[in-house]
Amino acid sequence: MDQIQHKYVDINGLKLHVAEIGTGDKVVLFLHGFPEIWYSWRYQMIAAAKAGYRTIAIDFRGYGESEIPAEPEKATFKDFVDDVVGILDFLQIPKVFIVGKDFGAQVVYTLAILHPERVLGVVTLGIPFIPAALVGQLYSALPQGFYIMRWMFPGRAEADFGRFDVKTVIKKIYILFSGSTVPIAEENQEIMDLIDSAAPLPSWFKEEDLSAYATLYEKSGFSTPLTVPYRSRPADLGEVAEHVSAPTLLIMGGSDYFYKFPGMEEYLTSGAVKHFVPNCDVTVVEEGSHFVQEQFPDLVNEHIISFLGKH
């Protein structure tokens, strides 16, 4: 970890945090999800650097060590895409392999659609490309206690989270999202009530990892993270077709709760995803959770580096 270097770059009026290790003409950019930060890619960054790649991970605006926008409640997915393009321009990187996890996958796919000339290949973890029409279908099949529906309305998640210190909130979310069932609360419950504060961390997530996350969320708060992804619509593609032409690898945990969404497994195994991402290969890590890259880092590293080498 000590060999990873950190700097801040001025992009679109904000100081954004960039972590970097390795050298070489081929670059891999990692984009985190929620409740993650750049640190969630620590194992992948070091492995890719050892394999000969210049490896970069960022904190999105309002996350981790990146500056919080003046009006975090107005942050959008398009802002995140524009920030990534701005970082690539600032670092003078014309083309990149781009890896995204959770909602970071949505940023990756949007970038690959709007700026295909910048993308050598795509790897996503936990979330496949989901066309706009399917998003509504997925959510409509789930009850009102579904965590995304609870968190999309301003104030409710803030009140729920506010009952606990930041470290406990991150702990509860990590345990919750490590499960194999879709997080759904009863009518008289809040999402944080689904996990006991005394519950143990997953065996692969250490106390020092929790402290690293908590320290940064104490700095950033949850205003931007609750806005993007939970309260911001996907970036408007205009007249551009929902089509990702770049070679793509999707890594799913077989025990990932997202894999259990109604219709998700069929969408992937039937090949329907290839209507939108024709060059997509799907790899399932059987015991993997939503945090598969932290749970099984060596296996995920092997899949990613093999993909990079092929393209």
Side-chain angles (χ1 to χ4, degrees), residues 34-80:
F34 177 85
E36 295 152 309
I37 47 179
W38 77 269
Y39 181 87
S40 64
W41 296 114
R42 58 200 179 280
Y43 302 121
Q44 287 68 47
M45 291 182 71
I46 292 171
K50 287 181 178 178
Y53 295 88
R54 180 183 178 188
T55 307
I56 298 168
I58 70 169
D59 285 328
F60 285 121
R61 59 169 62 198
Y63 279 80
E65 295 196 33
S66 286
E67 189 175 357
I68 302 168
E71 297 179 289
E73 70 282 359
K74 293 184 179 179
T76 68
F77 274 100
K78 184 62 163 55
D79 291 333
F80 284 28

Side-chain angles (χ1 to χ4, degrees), residues 146-168:
F146 175 44
Y147 79 98
I148 290 179
M149 293 179 180
R150 289 289 184 88
W151 291 353
M152 69 171 51
F153 297 105
R156 185 154 191 174
E158 288 85 342
D160 187 11
F161 291 6
R163 296 178 295 155
F164 307 95
D165 60 76
V166 170
K167 190 172 185 178
T168 300

Side-chain angles (χ1 to χ4, degrees), residues 60-108:
F60 285 121
R61 59 169 62 198
Y63 279 80
E65 295 196 33
S66 286
E67 189 175 357
I68 302 168
E71 297 179 289
E73 70 282 359
K74 293 184 179 179
T76 68
F77 274 100
K78 184 62 163 55
D79 291 333
F80 284 28
V81 173
D82 291 343
D83 288 345
V84 172
V85 173
I87 289 170
L88 293 178
D89 289 343
F90 183 90
L91 298 176
Q92 298 182 318
I93 299 171
K95 300 192 77 166
V96 66
F97 287 105
I98 189 162
V99 184
K101 159 78 195 316
D102 188 67
F103 84 83
Q106 293 177 256
V107 179
V108 169

Side-chain angles (χ1 to χ4, degrees), residues 133-249:
L134 184 57
V135 172
Q137 180 181 329
L138 284 174
Y139 291 174
S140 65
L142 292 162
Q144 288 298 313
F146 175 44
Y147 79 98
I148 290 179
M149 293 179 180
R150 289 289 184 88
W151 291 353
M152 69 171 51
F153 297 105
R156 185 154 191 174
E158 288 85 342
D160 187 11
F161 291 6
R163 296 178 295 155
F164 307 95
D165 60 76
V166 170
K167 190 172 185 178
T168 300
V169 172
I170 297 299
K171 176 184 177 180
K172 282 173 172 277
I173 295 174
Y174 243 83
I175 295 171
L176 188 67
F177 286 6
S178 296
S180 59
T181 58
V182 180
I184 297 173
E186 299 293 337
E187 186 176 348
N188 62 345
Q189 281 184 312
E190 297 300 330
I191 300 302
M192 291 291 98
D193 295 331
L194 295 175
I195 300 296
D196 190 302
S197 297
L201 287 167
S203 61
W204 43 266
F205 194 67
K206 306 304 182 186
E207 189 68 33
E208 65 192 67
D209 300 324
L210 176 61
S211 295
Y213 277 77
T215 297
L216 291 182
Y217 271 95
E218 286 168 355
K219 178 179 179 179
S220 70
F222 292 100
S223 294
T224 308
L226 285 171
T227 301
V228 182
Y230 300 108
R231 300 168 187 170
S232 178
R233 296 178 62 83
D236 185 359
L237 300 178
E239 299 299 317
V240 181
E242 292 183 296
H243 184 275
V244 177
S245 58
T248 300
L249 173 65

